[in-house]
C-alpha cells in the first residue's frame, strides 16, 4: 500500500472522524494559579515521610498529568529511530493500544479483524468486547510459525469487512519473529485496504543477527501500526506503558479517542528514566543475559527425557516446549497439563500450559527467569518427567 492508494479517512469509523476531542483549559494554559481542573491545591493525602511520597516527589501528583507526553514520546522516538512525537499514541499497556485500534477502526456489529493463530489472546478478547468479528489465518504449523500468505489472501478476499490484520512478531506463544519479507507482503496486499498492526511486544529479544523492529517503516507505509511495550525488555510491566508507532494521521485519531489523562505522571517519570543512557545500558545488559539464559534452557531441555521439540524460532523471552506421552512418545496435553498443575500447586513453580492452542499440542510456555529460577525449572521438569 502506498499513500496514493490508501486513504486512512476511508477506514476510520465515521463517529471518530466526526469526534471533537475533549479539550481542557490546560491545553492552552499550563502555568499560574491553576483553578481550572478541580484538582486539590492542598496536595496529596500522603504521609510526607512515606516511600510513596518520596517516589512521587517533584511530580505534582495532585495535578493531572500531561495529556500529550511529548517529552516521553521524544525519548522513545530517539530510541526507536522514528522522526518525532507526532508518530505516537501511548496507552495503558499495549493492551490499551490494541483496544484503541478496535475503537478507532472497527464498527461494532459490522467490521471484522484477521488474526493468525496461535497468537496473543487479547486480540480476540478485545474483538468480543467491541462486538467485532474475528477471522483466522493459521500460521504455518511446521514448527516455524510463519505467515501463511495464501490463507491470509483467502480470508481478505472472502471478508471485505476486515479492517485490521493483527500480526505478532515475535509471536506469543510461538516465540517466532515473522520474516520482514512476509510482513511487507501483508502491508502491500493488492486487495486489502485496512490496517496492519504489528505487535512487537518481544522485539528486543530477537538476536541481533536477525531482522528486528519494523518501527521505522511507519515513514514508508500509510497503513502500519507498530505496537510495543515497556512491560517486557524494559522490565516495567507494573507501570503500564504501551506504545503505538504509526503515521501522524493515524496517531492523531488514536490520540483524539483516548481518555485525556491516560498516562500517569509516575508512569511517565519511570519510563523517561528507563530511556536515559543509564537505563538503556541496564536494558541491554538484561537482554543479553536473558538471551544467554534462553540458550541455556534450550540446551538443557535437549537432555531432559520426556520433553519433545522446542517449537518456534526462539526470538522472545520464553520457550515453547513439548511434553511427551510416556508410552507413545507423542506430544501429550494430558501429561503436559499434569506437569504444569503439579509444579504450580505442589512445587511453587508456575509456567503456562498452552496445549490447547492450535499447533501447540502438549506444550508448556516457560518464561526465561533469573539463572537461579532457570535452574529450578530444569530441576523440576527433570523430576516431574522422571516420575
Ligand atoms: C504479544 C503481546 N502483546 C501485548 C501484550 C500486553 O502487553 P502490555 O503489558 O503492554 O499490556 C502481551 C503481554 O503478555 C503480549 O504477549
Amino acid at each position: 500500500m502506498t499513500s496514493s492508494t490508501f486513504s486512512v479517512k476511508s477506514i476510520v469509523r465515521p463517529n471518530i472522524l466526526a469526534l471533537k476531542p475533549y479539550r481542557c483549559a490546560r491545553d492552552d494554559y499550563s502555568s499560574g494559579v491553576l483553578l481550572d481542573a478541580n484538582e486539590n491545591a492542598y496536595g496529596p493525602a500522603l504521609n510526607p515521610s512515606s516511600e510513596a511520597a518520596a517516589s512521587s516527589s517533584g511530580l505534582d501528583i495532585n495535578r493531572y498529568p500531561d495529556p500529550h507526553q511529548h517529552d516521553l514520546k521524544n525519548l522513545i522516538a530517539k530510541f526507536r529511530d522514528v522522526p518525532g512525537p507526532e508518530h505516537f499514541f501511548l496507552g495503558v499497556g499495549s493492551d490499551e493500544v490494541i483496544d484503541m485500534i478496535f475503537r478507532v477502526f472497527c464498527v461494532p456489529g459490522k467490521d471484522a479483524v484477521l488474526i493468525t493463530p496461535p497468537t496473543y489472546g487479547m486480540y480476540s478478547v478485545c474483538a468480543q468486547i467491541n462486538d467485532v468479528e474475528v477471522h483466522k489465518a493459521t500460521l504455518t504449523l511446521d514448527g516455524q510459525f510463519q505467515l501463511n500468505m495464501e490463507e491470509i489472501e483467502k480470508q481478505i478476499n472472502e471478508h471485505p469487512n476486515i479492517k485490521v490484520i493483527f500480526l505478532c512478531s515475535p509471536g506469543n506463544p510461538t516465540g517466532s519473529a515473522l520474516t520482514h519479507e512476509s510482513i511487507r507482503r501483508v502491508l502491500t496486499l493488492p486487495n486489502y485496504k485496512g490496517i496492519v498492526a504489528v505487535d512487537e511486544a518481544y522485539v528486543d529479544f530477537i538476536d541481533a543477527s536477525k531482522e528486528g523492529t519494523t518501527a521505522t517503516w511507519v515513514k514508508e507505509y500509510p497503513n502500519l501500526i507498530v505496537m510495543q511495550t515497556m512491560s517486557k525488555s524494559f522490565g516495567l510491566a507494573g507501570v503500564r506503558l504501551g506504545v503505538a508507532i504509526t503515521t501522524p494521521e493515524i496517531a492523531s485519531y488514536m490520540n483524539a479517542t483516548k481518555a485525556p489523562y491516560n498516562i500517569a505522571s509516575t508512569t511517565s517519570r519511570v519510563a523517561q528514566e528507563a530511556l536515559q543512557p543509564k537505563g538503556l545500558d541496564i536494558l541491554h545488559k538484561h537482554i543479553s543475559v536473558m538471551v544467554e539464559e534462553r540458550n541455556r534452557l534450550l540446551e538443557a531441555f535437549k537432555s531432559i527425557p520426556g520433553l519433545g521439540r522446542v517449537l518456534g524460532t526462539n526470538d522472545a523471552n520464553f520457550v515453547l516446549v513439548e511434553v511427551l506421552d510416556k508410552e507413545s512418545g507423542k506430544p501429550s496435553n494430558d501429561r503436559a497439563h499434569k506437569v504444569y498443575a503439579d509444579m504450580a500447586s505442589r512445587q511453587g513453580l508456575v509456567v503456562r500450559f498452552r496445549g490447547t492452542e492450535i499447533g501447540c499440542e502438549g506444550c508448556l510456555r516457560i518464561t526465561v527467569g533469573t539463572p537461579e529460577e532457570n535452574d529450578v525449572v530444569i530441576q523440576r521438569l527433570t523430576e516431574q518427567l522422571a516420575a
Side-chain angles (χ1 to χ4, degrees), residues 63-351:
R63 302 289 176 188
Y64 284 106
D66 171 8
H68 307 293
Q69 297 293 333
H70 278 149
D71 292 346
L72 176 52
K73 289 175 182 172
N74 269 322
L75 285 170
I76 306 172
K78 192 164 157 234
F79 176 61
R80 294 297 184 191
D81 197 19
V82 174
E86 67 281 7
H87 284 272
F88 288 85
F89 160 70
L90 302 182
V92 181
S94 31
D95 285 341
E96 189 191 6
V97 178
I98 295 166
D99 189 56
M100 187 56 69
I101 293 174
F102 279 93
R103 293 169 65 199
V104 169
F105 294 104
C106 299
V107 177
K110 179 171 169 243
D111 288 332
V113 297
L114 181 68
I115 63 169
T116 62
T119 193
Y120 184 47
M122 279 305 281
Y123 314 136
S124 295
V125 172
C126 281
Q128 185 158 4
I129 291 168
N130 288 283
D131 193 15
V132 168
E133 212 182 344
V134 177
H135 297 291
K136 297 177 181 173
T138 305
L139 295 171
T140 60
L141 300 180
D142 51 1
Q144 298 292 301
F145 293 118
Q146 289 295 313
L147 296 178
N148 179 340
M149 286 308 300
E150 244 174 60
E151 191 53 34
I152 290 177
E153 287 193 54
K154 182 166 164 274
Q155 292 296 325
I156 292 302
N157 292 334
E158 277 176 17
H159 307 288
N161 61 339
I162 292 176
K163 285 286 196 66
V164 183
I165 302 177
F166 283 99
L167 305 179
C168 193
S169 180
N172 174 7
T174 67
S176 290
L178 302 173
T179 66
H180 276 191
E181 191 256 343
S182 67
I183 300 174
R184 282 191 195 276
R185 280 182 69 190
V186 178
L187 281 160
T188 53
L189 278 171
N191 288 341
Y192 181 56
K193 294 274 180 273
I195 294 294
V196 179
V198 182
D199 187 340
E200 294 190 347
Y202 301 97
V203 75
D204 295 323
F205 301 109
I206 300 178
D207 206 272
S209 63
K210 298 189 186 178
E211 294 167 326
T213 179
T214 59
T216 55
W217 298 6
V218 296
K219 290 176 277 184
E220 203 179 328
Y221 295 101
N223 56 339
L224 172 63
I225 301 176
V226 177
M227 300 185 276
Q228 297 182 345
T229 175
M230 297 200 75
S231 296
K232 310 293 179 183
S233 57
F234 279 91
L236 293 172
V239 309
R240 308 305 299 131
L241 189 78
V243 181
I245 309 174
T246 183
T247 65
E249 188 178 4
I250 293 175
S252 74
Y253 292 119
M254 297 174 89
N255 283 309
T257 307
K258 78 180 177 71
Y261 307 112
N262 64 333
I263 305 301
S265 312
T266 43
T267 295
S268 181
R269 171 194 265 182
V270 172
Q272 290 191 53
E273 187 58 37
L275 288 155
Q276 301 303 316
K278 181 73 190 154
L280 295 178
D281 200 32
I282 295 170
L283 166 83
H284 292 303
K285 282 198 184 108
H286 283 176
I287 292 171
S288 82
V289 176
M290 278 186 264
V291 169
E292 259 174 47
E293 282 295 302
R294 179 178 73 200
N295 293 338
R296 187 165 76 85
L297 280 181
L298 292 174
E299 217 28 60
F301 286 176
K302 285 186 192 159
S303 50
I304 300 182
L307 284 185
R309 295 172 304 168
V310 167
L311 299 189
T313 48
N314 298 300
D315 300 310
N317 67 336
F318 54 82
V319 172
L320 186 68
V321 64
E322 291 174 336
V323 173
L324 306 178
D325 181 68
K326 253 191 200 160
E327 266 86 62
S328 69
K330 294 202 172 121
S332 160
N333 272 357
D334 282 351
R335 195 170 187 209
H337 193 272
K338 186 174 177 314
V339 168
Y340 151 76
D342 259 19
M343 291 199 307
S345 61
R346 301 200 296 127
Q347 300 184 302
L349 171 60
V350 186
V351 300

